[in-house]
């Protein structure tokens, strides 16, 4: 028997599962009939990860309905929207995190600081590993219901030399960036540093013009203006440079165009150099090589020497999620685990396994739904669907029905509107049913994607917890194994609907808001609004207090520039 040093869990002396590993069991107090070591009265709910999605579940789940065990390599929740502020010391790292055990206390859940390696869906076992004194130990954790919320990793896009870059996803990443940036300032003022070297050390390059890259650039810019002269009077402001390399035609390209233009103008005024339509080719130890498409369509190769290069160009699947996808026949998406609209992992036994947040994507099957609605229209006309020619008005009726069911499908429907009109319609302005079905299959891939944001993960976590609460109530007295019928999801709870509440970004003593069609960009008032919006979402009184203290400390004394 492998000794797993986790006080809350006892290991069943018997081994089992496909790899014959020790099986951990939850010891519970309320096992009257079955004796200790078993868990009959409440289903065993295992949650992988303690990020945005998982924490939303833990905060919404009613106590005493499930035996909850969270497995994650990090034992804290990280409030990512403020991570860029921690790289330059505007906020302290500890103010962005909340211990997961504090969050779990309300529902009396267990926590295992370990990593999920694999899942055996037929025996309902998660293979978990821990490294202790350099030795990797494995065991199984049984579940009745499993929720996968393992997040994502940085997308490398296959570019070489990323070992020279910094990333910004974890607390450790933010710490490394802060240390490196301050270290570079210190090196820049040494008497042995040449002018050329000094310029390179003080050059910050950001690859990726999405919200994370832009907020990091903004934080660096703020630090230079507010604290540099005080701490490093020998460094001239114009010796420090900030560059953003963006592959699209605008930065913040998922925001309303007016807002990305505002951010670009702001950066131009603040001497943050933005290269658009530019692709990084290679990151060398001291310089970055990229190609830029000029306005006359020519592609030129450029180089920028750097002292710190941040790589922030989107996300991709973790190895664990990739491994699960290969085990399941019906998983076809290369970027995320596909779920149905009830967030059940497609291909896994129905009702057992859910996936939420960045590691997942919802397969809306919109194309299939549209076809069903089209068929209804045909039957309403008293015709076989295959014989029907659809008018644009028919399509609009269908679109309205689809929108009612899938409010988040708006942009896809607008695209279909256009396609319908552009398509080679016959003289009567109608479209053959089969042709329309083909047209739908062309856009099918787009119909699965939802943004990889905290907002989405949080909504999915809340949805799942509310559903689990409901399932526990609609089946009073139901014992663990009876609660496994996947149809309960559809019988007792609606499908998940994402409601986009808007996007915010900090752009250096200014902020931009793209909130449900209302766009707003501005200076200090907008910054306070931006702070308040996130402040309200932070998870505990403790983090709110710490955040408030950090902002007050910075306002009174400035940032401290120590490479601790
Ligand atoms: P995460 O929050 O990433 O959590 C994943 C968890 O899984 C972690 O606890 C991890 O340790 C754990 N894990 C990983 N592998 C395993 C494994 N094998 N076994 C067990 N556990 C595992 N979104 C917004 O909406 N607004 C913002 O302003 C915003 N700003 C951001 C700023 C930065 C710098 C970053 C990096 C992201 C930002 N995001 C923002 C995106 C947002 O953070 C993510 O979309 C969100 O964290 C996704 O939540 P999640 O629960 O899916 O995963």
């Amino acid at each position: 028997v492998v000794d797993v040093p986790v006080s809350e869990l006892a290991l069943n002396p018997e081994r089992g599962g496909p790899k014959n590993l020790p099986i951990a069991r939850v010891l519970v107090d309320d096992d009257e009939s079955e004796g200790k070591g078993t868990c009959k009265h409440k289903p065993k709910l295992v949650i992988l990860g303690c990020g945005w999605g998982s924490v939303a579940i833990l905060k919404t789940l009613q106590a005493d309905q499930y035996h909850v065990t969270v497995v994650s390599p990090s034992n804290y929740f990280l409030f990512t929207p403020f991570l860029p502020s921690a790289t330059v010391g505007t906020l302290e790292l500890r103010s962005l995190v909340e211990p997961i055990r504090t969050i779990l206390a309300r529902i009396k859940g267990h926590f295992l600081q370990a990593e999920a390696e694999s899942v055996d869906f037929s025996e309902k076992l998660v293979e978990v590993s821990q490294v202790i004194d350099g030795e990797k130990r494995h065991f199984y954790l049984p579940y009745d219901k499993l929720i996968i919320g393992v997040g994502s990793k940085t997308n490398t896009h296959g570019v070489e030399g990323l070992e020279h870059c910094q990333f910004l996803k974890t607390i450790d990443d933010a710490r490394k960036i802060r240390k490196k940036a301050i270290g570079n300032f210190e090196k820049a003022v040494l008497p042995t540093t040449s002018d050329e070297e000094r310029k390179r050390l003080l050059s910050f390059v950001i690859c990726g013009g999405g919200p994370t890259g832009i907020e990091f650039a903004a934080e660096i810019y703020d630090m230079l203006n507010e604290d540099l002269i005080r701490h490093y009077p020998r460094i001239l402001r114009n010796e420090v440079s900030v560059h953003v390399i963006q592959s699209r035609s605008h930065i913040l390209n998922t925001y309303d165009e007016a807002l990305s233009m505002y951010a670009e103008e702001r950066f131009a005024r603040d001497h943050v150099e933005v290269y658009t339509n530019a692709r990084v080719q290679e990151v060398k130890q001291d310089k970055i090589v990229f190609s830029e498409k000029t306005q006359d369509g020519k592609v030129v190769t450029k180089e920028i020497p750097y002292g710190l290069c941040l790589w922030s160009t989107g996300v991709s699947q973790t190895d664990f999620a990739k491994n699960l996808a290969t085990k399941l026949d019906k998983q076809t998406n290369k970027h995320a685990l596909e779920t149905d609209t009830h967030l059940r992992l497609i291909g896994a036994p129905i009702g057992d396994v859910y996936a939420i947040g960045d590691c997942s994507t919802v397969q809306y099957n919109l194309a299939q739904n549209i076809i069903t609605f089209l068929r209804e229209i045909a039957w309403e006309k008293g015709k076989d669907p295959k014989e029907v020619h659809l008018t644009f008005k028919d399509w609009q009726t269908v679109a309205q029905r689809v929108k009612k069911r899938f409010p988040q499908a708006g942009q896809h429907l607008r695209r279909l509107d256009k396609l319908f009109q552009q398509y080679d319609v016959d003289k009567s302005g109608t479209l053959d049913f089969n042709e329309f079905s083909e047209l739908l299959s062309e856009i099918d891939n787009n119909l699965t994607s939802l943004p990889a944001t905290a907002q989405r993960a949080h909504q999915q976590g809340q949805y799942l917890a509310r559903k689990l609460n409901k399932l526990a109530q609609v089946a009073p007295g139901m014992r663990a194994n009876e609660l496994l019928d996947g149809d309960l999801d559809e019988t007792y709870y609606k499908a998940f609907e994402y409601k986009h509440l808007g996007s915010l970004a900090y752009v250096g003593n200014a902020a931009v808001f793209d909130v449900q069609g209302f766009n707003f960009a501005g200076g200090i008032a907008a910054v306070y609004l931006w702070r308040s919006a996130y402040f309200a979402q932070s998870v505990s009184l403790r983090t709110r207090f710490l955040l408030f203290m950090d902002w007050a400390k910075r306002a009174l004394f400035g940032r401290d520039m120590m490479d601790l």
Side-chain angles (χ1 to χ4, degrees):
V1 178
V2 174
D3 180 22
V4 179
V6 178
S7 58
E8 293 96 333
L9 294 181
L11 282 180
N12 182 350
E14 286 163 31
R15 292 170 163 253
K19 292 191 184 169
N20 196 30
L21 296 175
I23 298 180
R25 285 216 191 164
V26 182
L27 278 176
V28 292
D29 303 331
D30 60 351
D31 295 327
E32 302 119 27
S33 57
E34 309 291 337
K36 288 245 170 209
T38 57
C39 173
K40 281 288 173 184
H41 288 157
K42 296 179 213 162
K44 294 184 285 289
L45 175 63
V46 173
I47 301 175
L48 306 181
C50 57
W52 275 94
S54 307
V55 164
I57 298 176
L58 300 176
K59 296 213 110 195
T60 317
L61 202 66
Q62 283 165 1
D64 298 329
Q65 305 287 9
Y66 296 87
H67 286 295
V68 179
T69 307
V70 174
V71 178
S72 176
S74 51
N75 68 353
Y76 51 81
F77 164 72
L78 169 62
F79 191 83
T80 46
F82 283 149
L83 201 53
S85 304
T87 57
V88 293
T90 310
L91 294 172
E92 293 302 328
L93 295 171
R94 283 191 178 270
S95 312
L96 311 188
V97 293
E98 182 69 8
I100 197 69
R101 288 177 185 274
T102 312
I103 300 172
L104 270 166
R106 184 186 61 86
I107 54 168
K108 298 190 192 105
H110 304 276
F111 175 71
L112 292 180
Q113 187 164 29
E115 200 170 331
E117 295 260 342
S118 168
V119 179
D120 185 76
F121 295 106
S122 57
E123 295 200 34
K124 295 190 172 194
L125 297 170
V126 184
E127 185 187 337
V128 178
S129 75
Q130 294 165 308
V131 177
I132 298 169
D133 296 335
E135 182 200 343
K136 200 169 191 183
R137 302 177 186 179
H138 294 249
F139 65 96
Y140 283 127
L141 191 61
Y143 64 85
D144 293 317
K145 294 224 175 241
L146 174 67
I147 299 174
I148 302 166
V150 295
S152 53
K153 62 178 190 183
T154 305
N155 196 343
T156 62
H157 295 282
V159 171
E160 279 182 29
L162 295 198
E163 64 276 14
H164 306 303
C165 294
Q166 308 294 319
F167 302 96
L168 186 52
K169 249 191 134 8
T170 63
I171 278 282
D172 224 33
D173 293 339
R175 188 180 290 119
K176 279 186 196 153
I177 290 177
R178 190 168 172 182
K179 222 171 151 51
K180 172 117 186 142
I182 293 171
N184 283 359
F185 284 122
E186 295 297 350
K187 283 179 196 145
V189 293
L190 289 175
T192 48
T193 306
S194 68
D195 285 351
E196 195 187 340
E197 218 175 357
R198 182 176 162 108
K199 265 193 138 178
R200 179 186 68 76
L201 284 166
L202 300 175
S203 157
F204 294 84
V205 176
I206 294 124
C207 306
T212 301
I214 293 309
E215 288 189 355
F216 175 69
E219 290 285 349
I220 289 280
Y221 173 80
D222 284 355
M223 182 188 68
L224 298 178
N225 285 347
E226 292 162 14
D227 298 284
L228 185 78
I229 296 170
R230 195 159 53 89
H231 289 276
Y232 301 94
R234 286 184 52 211
I235 294 180
L236 300 175
R237 173 65 185 83
N238 64 7
E239 285 179 306
V240 191
S241 57
V242 184
H243 317 261
V244 178
I245 301 176
Q246 159 74 326
S247 60
R248 305 290 175 90
S249 51
H250 290 287
I251 55 171
L252 294 180
N253 67 300
T254 54
Y255 289 52
D256 184 88
E257 204 179 327
L259 295 179
S260 37
M261 301 292 279
Y262 175 88
E264 278 170 16
E265 279 162 23
R266 180 114 203 158
F267 274 10
R269 204 190 68 191
D270 295 343
H271 308 292
V272 173
E273 204 165 0
V274 176
Y275 301 87
T276 50
N277 296 313
R279 287 201 165 269
V280 175
Q281 290 172 342
E282 193 186 345
V283 183
K284 298 198 172 167
Q285 200 175 0
D286 54 357
K287 65 182 174 200
I288 185 150
V289 184
F290 66 101
S291 61
E292 190 185 26
K293 202 169 171 185
T294 57
Q295 280 182 343
D296 54 8
K298 278 192 201 138
V299 177
V300 286
T301 301
K302 293 187 172 174
E303 292 180 352
I304 307 176
Y306 68 83
L308 188 151
C309 175
L310 176 79
W311 186 262
S312 167
T313 60
V315 296
S316 70
Q317 245 178 340
T318 63
D319 294 342
F320 169 72
K322 235 185 250 171
N323 162 17
L324 286 195
T326 56
K327 282 184 155 199
L328 299 166
D329 294 343
K330 295 178 189 159
Q331 292 284 332
T332 51
N333 190 310
K334 288 200 181 87
H335 307 289
L337 292 167
E338 282 176 300
T339 70
D340 64 12
T341 50
H342 292 262
L343 308 189
R344 294 172 296 194
L345 184 65
I346 292 175
I350 196 154
D352 287 0
V353 188
Y354 302 89
I356 55 170
D358 282 9
C359 69
S360 69
T361 184
V362 181
Q363 169 62 266
Y364 282 105
N365 266 335
L366 265 192
Q368 194 50 47
N369 273 284
I370 290 172
I371 289 174
T372 310
F373 287 126
L374 287 171
R375 283 210 179 95
E376 279 174 24
I377 297 259
W379 294 122
E380 279 163 21
K381 288 184 171 192
K383 291 200 174 167
D384 186 311
K386 297 239 157 47
E387 291 165 15
V388 160
H389 276 238
L390 297 157
T391 63
F392 187 61
K393 203 160 168 248
D394 291 335
W395 159 246
Q396 283 181 314
T397 312
V398 169
Q400 278 198 344
R401 289 184 196 182
V402 174
K403 208 168 173 183
K404 212 167 159 200
R405 183 145 175 212
F406 302 111
Q408 70 275 35
Q411 55 169 321
H412 302 304
L413 296 176
R414 279 195 292 281
R415 192 164 162 229
L416 277 166
D417 276 353
K418 273 193 198 145
L419 280 173
F420 196 102
Q421 285 168 316
Q422 283 163 7
Y423 206 70
D424 190 19
V425 289
D426 67 23
K427 285 193 194 84
S428 58
T430 62
L431 197 62
D432 178 74
F433 181 86
N434 289 334
E435 284 171 323
F436 194 72
S437 303
E438 268 174 36
L439 198 139
L440 282 176
S441 65
E442 270 176 39
I443 62 152
D444 205 4
N445 275 337
N446 287 336
L447 300 179
T448 58
S449 57
L450 277 179
T453 58
Q455 194 182 136
R456 194 249 291 196
H458 179 78
Q459 287 183 24
Q460 291 187 322
Q462 279 191 329
Y463 160 88
L464 215 47
R466 287 183 186 135
K467 176 156 73 178
L468 291 171
N469 290 340
K470 175 95 186 231
L471 291 186
Q473 276 165 17
V474 292
M478 191 171 256
R479 295 161 78 85
N481 288 339
E482 291 166 306
L483 203 62
L484 306 178
D485 179 359
D487 288 334
L488 281 178
D489 281 76
E490 279 161 65
T491 313
Y492 291 109
Y493 216 73
K494 58 187 181 189
F496 170 72
E497 282 174 15
Y498 173 67
K499 291 187 185 65
H500 185 62
L501 302 174
S503 312
L504 323 177
Y506 178 70
V507 290
N509 282 329
V512 296
F513 295 74
D514 185 349
V515 180
Q516 295 187 327
F518 167 74
N519 300 327
F520 174 59
I524 208 71
V527 172
Y528 280 107
L529 203 62
W530 170 81
R531 267 189 203 166
S532 319
Y534 282 123
F535 186 73
Q537 283 180 37
S538 65
V539 286
S540 71
L541 195 61
R542 175 192 154 274
T543 48
R544 279 183 205 157
F545 176 76
L546 291 176
L547 289 171
F548 180 79
M549 294 297 284
D550 287 351
W551 282 320
K553 191 179 82 184
R554 203 218 66 194
L556 286 172
F557 309 112
R559 296 170 184 81
D560 45 46
M561 310 271 281
M562 294 177 285
D563 60 347
L564 293 172

